[in-house]
Amino acid sequence: MHKQVILKPIITEKSSMLGSENKYVFKVLKSCNKIEIKKAIEDTFNVKVVAVNTLNVRAKAKRMGKHEGTTSSWKKAVVSLVSGNKIDDFEKLV
């Protein structure tokens, strides 16, 4: 069940800078809540989670020539860990 909650890590310049603050960013299922995300991170990576902040990323309108469409909306989770804990090889999880 926990593998299904966490879809993939988000590795950007901004999320890499959060690594120094012991925070990690993940793409998660839209239907899951903060408690489910916390349990999934703790069980999967064997770390202690202090806080989980979530936000819904809205779909954006896109055009390719005369064709129009939208990107998918998704949920982002910023997970704060206890000092001393870290997720090893976070960049290699993609």
Side-chain angles (χ1 to χ4, degrees):
M1 173 66 186
H2 297 307
K3 298 276 186 190
Q4 298 170 348
V5 172
I6 306 165
L7 299 178
K8 67 178 186 175
I10 304 299
I11 300 173
T12 60
E13 187 174 352
K14 192 178 228 182
S15 67
S16 297
M17 291 185 337
L18 287 175
S20 64
E21 299 175 17
N22 224 16
K23 294 181 181 181
Y24 298 92
V25 184
F26 294 94
K27 181 176 181 178
V28 295
L29 286 179
K30 288 178 71 171
S31 60
C32 62
N33 59 27
K34 292 181 181 185
I35 298 167
E36 293 170 341
I37 295 169
K38 179 180 177 178
K39 287 180 183 177
I41 296 292
E42 287 179 344
D43 292 345
T44 304
F45 299 109
N46 198 20
V47 293
K48 182 69 177 160
V49 175
V50 175
V52 176
N53 297 326
T54 60
L55 58 134
N56 289 314
V57 179
R58 293 187 299 174
K60 294 181 183 177
K62 295 288 183 178
R63 282 185 47 184
M64 289 293 290
K66 65 180 182 177
H67 302 287
E68 294 183 13
T70 58
T71 61
S72 299
S73 59
W74 52 284
K75 190 176 220 177
K76 183 191 295 189
V78 179
V79 180
S80 302
L81 302 182
V82 173
S83 62
N85 284 350
K86 69 176 193 173
I87 297 175
D88 295 324
D89 299 328
F90 181 69
E91 288 80 22
K92 295 180 181 178
L93 293 175
V94 177

